[in-house]
Amino acid sequence: MERPGAEIHSNGCGNVSKKEKMSEEFEAVTMDPLVDVPLATIDIKDDCGITDVLQINLERGKENEQIKSDQVMKKKKKHKDYQPNYFLSIPITKKEITRGIKILQNTIIQQDQRLAKAMVGDGSFHITLLVMQLLNEDEVNMGIDALLELKPFIEEILQGKHLILPFQGIGNFGNQVAFVKLAEGDHINPLLEIAEIAKRTFQEKGILAGESRGFKPHLTFMKLSKAPWLRKNGVKKIDPELYEKFISHRFGEETLYRIDLCSMVKKKQSNGYYHCESSIVIGKKPIGIQDLINEALHQERMALKSKVKQIKELLLKPETQDKIRRELFEGRLINNSNQANDVDSGMTLT
């Protein structure tokens, strides 16, 4: 007769009987092969559903690493595809400056006729404040909005004062681009501040803007990339000796009064300046009648664009669409009801 409790139950996962004791020899034979097996390779899972937690955590860790890796790759691809096609321009309009640069360009061309094709047209002279990528009409409108939002920030930086930009001397980027330098002075810091706030304002709207190198204001008058065939003809660099007479020349001063959002790829205007999507006027500047007309038309266009945008946003709201559907539906019901009443009245009369 067996004693009570001789049989042990382990919560339904199996039972062990006293009659089923393993011999020492059998136990040794069955356990020895497991001694050399690494614990991490054992799939610990029995009929009770006990899962290897370490293995699950390892798999989850791999998944998280893969997700992070994918995010990094997407970010890298996004920036790899970043090709600026728009820019903020400070136009150079002072005749003294443009006249001096034309004399400089002609002096260089007289020394090497091939470089005529590398010269920037006088209608295109400008300082690039910021470059960006705008791929469609919606993004261009976002850029216009960002430019308009930028104006009060600039006015706060300047505090009602005019920002005078003096140009003196010549510099270059790797002897591939030649430019008139902005002279040192108190005007540098405000201009750097404006460039920084412009970059931040555009980036906060989700626009890819800025470039890896720091902002260095300059007025380009010549670049070899305008004529790629020059390299094939042996012109691989711009020789500084070509402009050595102008190395300390003062070209004049430009007052910051306007900032334009311009396209790098669209057809230029008849005066040689870039296609301009929008502008902001900073401070006051004596202007002619035509300038006043253009400014009035521009402001009217901006106001109309803003209204269209507001209407579009309003129509896309679910509550607006529900209201339109409800009013249209109720209107049809009323019309159908009136038509039915008219028919009933007609039948009664006859």
Side-chain angles (χ1 to χ4, degrees):
M1 182 176 179
E2 294 181 357
R3 290 179 299 167
E7 184 175 323
I8 301 174
H9 296 276
S10 56
N11 62 8
C13 295
N15 51 60
V16 179
S17 174
K18 185 178 179 180
K19 294 179 182 181
E20 296 173 344
K21 291 180 179 178
M22 298 194 316
S23 65
E24 294 180 1
E25 294 82 2
F26 180 73
E27 186 175 355
V29 170
T30 55
M31 292 302 293
D32 284 346
L34 297 177
V35 174
D36 296 327
V37 178
L39 181 61
T41 62
I42 302 174
D43 186 9
I44 307 172
K45 185 177 181 182
D46 58 17
D47 293 337
C48 298
I50 302 173
T51 308
D52 185 358
V53 178
L54 292 175
Q55 186 69 18
I56 292 175
N57 289 339
L58 183 62
E59 290 176 358
R60 286 178 179 172
K62 288 181 178 178
E63 289 177 1
N64 290 336
E65 288 179 5
Q66 185 62 43
I67 291 171
K68 289 180 181 179
S69 177
D70 291 343
Q71 290 174 343
V72 170
M73 290 301 293
K74 285 180 181 178
K75 190 175 181 180
K76 284 183 178 179
K77 185 178 186 301
K78 187 177 182 181
H79 286 279
K80 184 180 178 181
D81 295 340
Y82 174 49
Q83 293 292 336
N85 59 343
Y86 276 83
F87 65 101
L88 292 185
S89 165
I90 299 175
I92 303 300
T93 59
K94 285 291 181 68
K95 296 297 183 183
E96 179 188 0
I97 298 175
T98 55
R99 186 164 50 245
I101 295 176
K102 290 301 293 183
I103 294 172
L104 164 64
Q105 290 176 326
N106 289 334
T107 300
I108 294 173
I109 293 171
Q110 286 173 8
Q111 298 174 74
D112 191 336
Q113 290 287 336
R114 296 174 299 176
L115 295 175
K117 295 295 183 181
M119 298 300 173
V120 175
D122 55 354
S124 300
F125 293 152
H126 70 280
I127 294 177
T128 298
L129 194 64
L130 180 72
V131 296
M132 70 203 70
Q133 184 183 65
L134 304 174
L135 298 178
N136 50 52
E137 186 178 351
D138 287 339
E139 290 189 5
V140 170
N141 288 331
M142 286 170 57
I144 292 172
D145 291 342
L147 177 61
L148 297 177
E149 289 179 14
L150 184 59
K151 180 174 179 175
F153 292 117
I154 296 176
E155 291 175 342
E156 183 179 351
I157 291 171
L158 298 180
Q159 297 181 348
K161 299 177 181 177
H162 292 293
L163 184 59
I164 309 298
L165 305 175
F167 293 92
Q168 181 178 10
I170 309 294
N172 68 79
F173 293 128
N175 289 322
Q176 299 295 308
V177 176
F179 57 85
V180 174
K181 295 194 295 186
L182 188 63
E184 295 295 327
D186 295 337
H187 53 278
I188 295 292
N189 284 338
L191 188 60
L192 293 177
E193 286 185 50
I194 292 171
E196 183 59 32
I197 195 66
K199 182 178 178 180
R200 194 183 316 143
T201 302
F202 276 76
Q203 288 182 346
E204 285 176 354
K205 286 190 171 292
I207 296 171
L208 285 176
E211 50 189 337
S212 57
R213 66 183 181 184
F215 173 63
K216 183 177 181 179
H218 60 280
L219 199 174
T220 299
F221 67 86
M222 175 184 181
K223 50 186 176 180
L224 296 183
S225 61
K226 284 180 63 65
W229 54 267
L230 284 172
R231 178 172 289 273
K232 296 179 180 178
N233 290 332
V235 183
K236 298 180 179 180
K237 290 185 178 181
I238 301 171
D239 187 351
E241 291 185 1
L242 294 171
Y243 52 76
E244 63 178 352
K245 293 179 181 178
F246 296 83
I247 208 69
S248 300
H249 181 75
R250 291 188 65 86
F251 288 86
E253 298 177 343
E254 179 72 56
T255 301
L256 171 63
Y257 79 96
R258 198 180 86 215
I259 297 176
D260 303 323
L261 175 62
C262 296
S263 170
M264 297 180 184
V265 294
K266 291 184 179 180
K267 186 178 179 180
K268 289 184 177 182
Q269 301 177 35
S270 57
N271 62 359
Y273 191 62
Y274 298 88
H275 173 86
C276 181
E277 298 287 353
S278 182
S279 305
I280 55 174
V281 176
I282 309 298
K284 296 179 179 179
K285 176 180 182 286
I287 50 180
I289 297 298
Q290 189 58 48
D291 290 325
L292 289 172
I293 294 173
N294 291 339
E295 180 64 22
L297 290 173
H298 172 71
Q299 293 297 335
E300 191 70 24
R301 177 172 170 266
M302 291 300 102
L304 184 59
K305 271 194 171 186
S306 178
K307 287 290 184 184
V308 170
K309 182 182 177 183
Q310 291 176 7
I311 293 171
K312 185 178 178 181
E313 291 175 349
L314 183 64
L315 290 174
L316 289 174
K317 289 183 177 180
E319 57 267 29
T320 304
Q321 295 179 0
D322 290 340
K323 186 176 180 180
I324 292 172
R325 291 192 193 95
R326 189 164 57 251
E327 290 181 355
L328 287 174
F329 183 69
E330 289 175 355
R332 287 176 181 174
L333 284 179
I334 293 171
N335 289 335
N336 290 339
S337 177
N338 291 336
Q339 289 176 3
N341 291 336
D342 291 340
V343 171
D344 291 341
S345 298
M347 292 176 65
T348 303
L349 292 172
T350 56

